[in-house]
Amino acid sequence: MNPLDIVIMAAGKGTRMKSRIPKVLQRLAGRPLLQHVLDQAAHLSARSAIVITGHGAMEVEAACAGGTSAGGQFDLKFARQEPQLGTGHAVQQAAPLLAGDGTVLVLSGDVPLTQADTVRALVAASGGQALALLTVRLPEPRGYGRILRAADGRVQGIVEEKDASDAQRAITEVYSGILAVPARLLLAWLPRLSNQNAQGEYYLTEVVAMAVAEGVPVTTHTIDDAVQVAGVNSPAQLAELERAHQARTATALMEAGVRLADPARFDLRDDARSGVRGELVCAADVEIDVGCVFTGRVELGEGVRIGAYCCIANARIAAGAVVHPFTHIDGEAAGVQVGEGALVGPFARLRPGAQLGRGVHIGNFVEVKNSQLADGAKANHLAYLGDATVGERVNYGAGSITANYDGANKHRTVIGPDAHIGSNCVLVAPVTIGAGATVGGGSTISKDVPPAALGVARGRQTHIEGWKRPAKRAAP
Ligand code: UD1
Ligand code: MG
């Protein structure tokens, strides 16, 4: 096999997106469209990928700097196309960077969901000799270049919609915009493209007629799956492809045994902040209710149940844990860990560095950040635990908070095992509550409480007998 060099056309403006962001950087499943295409280069073990940039070139080039999230090593190069005079003109810009010994695969930066097997089959069809076109049969072929075939079925050329006759417009086999061809042939054809057509553009598709004229074999690899060749031109198309992509992910999860209440209401995304790939790893008997969004890498242990409308990013949730509806878990870079059999939510918030042991309960409107809660600890209502180490079986009362930030620095709160923190307490860090200690409700604790002691820090209750409430003055 010849080495594979990929040319990705990504210079177009994307006017219909009506966005300041270059079209190829719009995100699908949290990943820029162009990144989806570059990932194919990794899956195909390409030697190089040349990205043709124009509109927003600096931004597009900078966005590619991180390489590909699919791994794989290939040489990434850029060629500028200014102004943009058509697809043929775009590929002309790559010519000086193309070695003569390879196979060239032309892809579009705005066609994100082509599967690696499809492209592999196309490259195989080229076989180092032929011009191979990826085509698709569309019941509604409007807007696409049509494949012209002779009576014996051999490909004669591609005609763009705007140049086509009525009879040609009736053809339903269309060109996907993706082709594979030996570099030596392409490099000979590129300088001969003309712009004598309805749009006054240099069409890459003109190489098909050149191949036919020279007796170079032209083959097609035809698929029926329109999603694989669908381009993104508008917000509506982006949303449509997003759903198609998510439906595929959902199907794969269900085939692996995950029970999704509704595959149409499921989302798995890359973490756009870090580029961490969206990956949901599930053990047996996981149940996920409707409307959940998973971001980055999330692991769910055996029998985990996720309630409706949870957002979960970068987290490990151990076997048997239950996450009730409307819970927000975001591990960012530090991660979140939920122990076996823990109960979280509804309406809970777990932030980076939250580590919950076995059987921990985190109830409604409880926020946990950078804190370890040992096995059996409970914070059931309206509480904040930040920068805290919480011992086994601690009961942390409703409305209590750790005051972990003094305005300049963060400090830790340590709560020993079996301590009982009453309701509405403020634990002013740094502070330690000893094992088995009790903190009286409403206390502001700024000194360590010894083990097994009762710490109370609040005004003593006094009574003024016969207290007269103010009475309303009579109107004059
Ligand atoms: C192209 C094909 C058409 C095919 C269709 C599939 C040609 C002449 N026509 O048409 O047969 O059915 O794709 O989607 O090739 N681009 C540049 N520089 C340019 C022009 C375009 O980089 O000067 C990039 C665009 O950003 C885009 C890709 O090339 O990623 C395709 O361009 P587009 O204008 O969408 O081509 P179509 O008219 O759709
Ligand atoms: Mg297009």
Side-chain angles (χ1 to χ4, degrees):
M1 272 304 237
N2 294 345
L4 185 66
D5 298 305
I6 297 182
V7 175
I8 303 173
M9 300 183 293
K13 186 166 179 197
T15 313
R16 279 175 285 164
M17 288 303 297
K18 301 196 167 91
S19 168
R20 266 188 252 283
I21 301 165
K23 181 166 79 172
V24 295
L25 298 186
Q26 301 284 349
R27 291 175 186 275
L28 185 138
R31 191 181 316 164
L33 296 175
L34 180 56
Q35 194 71 59
H36 284 269
V37 182
L38 280 171
D39 287 352
Q40 290 178 28
H43 290 306
L44 295 166
S45 316
R47 169 171 68 181
S48 73
I50 303 165
V51 181
I52 313 295
T53 61
H55 277 282
M58 305 260 271
E59 250 178 286
V60 173
E61 290 166 17
C64 294
T68 142
S69 50
Q73 290 294 310
F74 57 87
D75 192 10
L76 181 61
K77 303 170 191 171
F78 299 97
R80 293 274 177 98
Q81 185 201 16
E82 274 154 359
Q84 290 87 37
L85 303 177
T87 52
H89 181 249
V91 177
Q92 279 173 353
Q93 313 312 306
L97 301 174
L98 283 171
D101 63 339
T103 290
V104 178
L105 171 68
V106 177
L107 301 173
S108 284
D110 61 353
V111 178
L113 298 184
T114 322
Q115 283 168 14
D117 283 349
T118 301
V119 182
R120 233 175 255 131
L122 182 73
V123 171
S126 166
Q129 326 186 29
L131 168 59
L133 308 172
L134 180 63
T135 73
V136 59
R137 267 183 273 276
L138 296 180
E140 175 47 81
R142 202 148 58 90
Y144 287 91
R146 310 296 205 281
I147 304 293
L148 306 179
R149 291 184 184 268
D152 63 359
R154 278 190 300 175
V155 174
Q156 296 300 293
I158 298 176
V159 61
E160 292 305 301
E161 164 115 356
K162 288 187 175 137
D163 301 290
S165 66
D166 285 349
Q168 288 169 333
R169 285 182 189 184
I171 296 169
T172 56
E173 187 188 7
V174 306
Y175 173 51
S176 63
I178 296 172
L179 62 76
V181 61
R184 62 189 158 79
L185 296 175
L186 182 68
L187 289 169
W189 294 329
L190 284 176
R192 289 159 43 201
L193 297 175
S194 75
N195 61 353
Q196 304 304 302
N197 53 55
Q199 302 184 81
E201 284 186 3
Y202 294 89
Y203 290 168
L204 181 62
T205 45
E206 219 180 274
V207 300
V208 179
M210 291 180 185
V212 171
E214 289 171 20
V216 171
V218 180
T219 65
T220 52
H221 177 65
T222 305
I223 58 171
D224 291 315
D225 181 4
V227 167
Q228 288 199 45
V229 299
V232 171
N233 299 299
S234 64
Q237 283 173 335
L238 181 60
E240 212 175 290
L241 275 196
E242 176 81 34
R243 287 334 305 159
H245 172 78
Q246 295 297 349
R248 276 175 194 193
T249 307
T251 301
L253 284 166
M254 290 187 296
E255 278 166 4
V258 178
R259 296 200 285 279
L260 298 178
D262 182 359
R265 283 180 287 172
F266 165 85
D267 287 85
L268 172 62
R269 302 177 183 154
D270 285 15
D271 188 339
R273 300 164 299 189
S274 61
V276 172
R277 266 180 102 77
E279 198 181 352
L280 182 59
V281 183
C282 295
D285 288 310
V286 165
E287 289 180 25
I288 299 172
D289 211 333
V290 301
C292 294
V293 178
F294 297 89
T295 304
R297 187 180 159 85
V298 175
E299 282 178 42
L300 304 179
E302 189 169 335
V304 164
R305 285 188 285 140
I306 309 292
Y309 304 107
C310 291
C311 295
I312 302 181
N314 307 313
R316 275 165 51 193
I317 300 178
V322 178
V323 179
H324 291 295
F326 299 103
T327 291
H328 189 268
I329 298 178
D330 186 357
E332 293 180 25
V336 163
Q337 288 177 39
V338 175
E340 265 179 49
L343 304 179
V344 181
F347 299 102
R349 180 171 185 212
L350 303 182
R351 292 175 50 203
Q355 293 176 22
L356 315 185
R358 281 170 211 235
V360 164
H361 292 187
I362 296 296
N364 43 216
F365 307 107
V366 174
E367 173 182 353
V368 181
K369 184 217 80 172
N370 189 30
S371 294
Q372 296 82 46
L373 278 75
D375 297 354
K378 296 186 171 82
N380 271 323
H381 327 269
L382 303 156
Y384 176 56
L385 280 160
D387 303 305
T389 304
V390 179
E392 293 173 7
R393 298 171 301 278
V394 163
N395 196 314
Y396 193 78
S400 289
I401 65 159
T402 54
N404 57 324
Y405 183 54
D406 61 13
N409 297 297
K410 302 267 173 72
H411 302 283
R412 283 203 83 77
T413 300
V414 178
I415 305 174
D418 298 300
H420 181 100
I421 312 297
S423 295
N424 217 32
C425 295
V426 180
L427 307 181
V428 183
V431 72
T432 298
I433 313 297
T438 302
V439 175
S443 294
T444 295
I445 297 292
S446 52
K447 286 187 236 147
D448 292 354
V449 177
L454 167 67
V456 189
R458 64 183 187 220
R460 248 177 210 286
Q461 184 166 333
T462 56
H463 297 146
I464 298 169
E465 298 296 337
W467 174 251
K468 293 262 180 309
R469 290 192 211 149
K472 244 191 164 70
R473 268 194 298 270

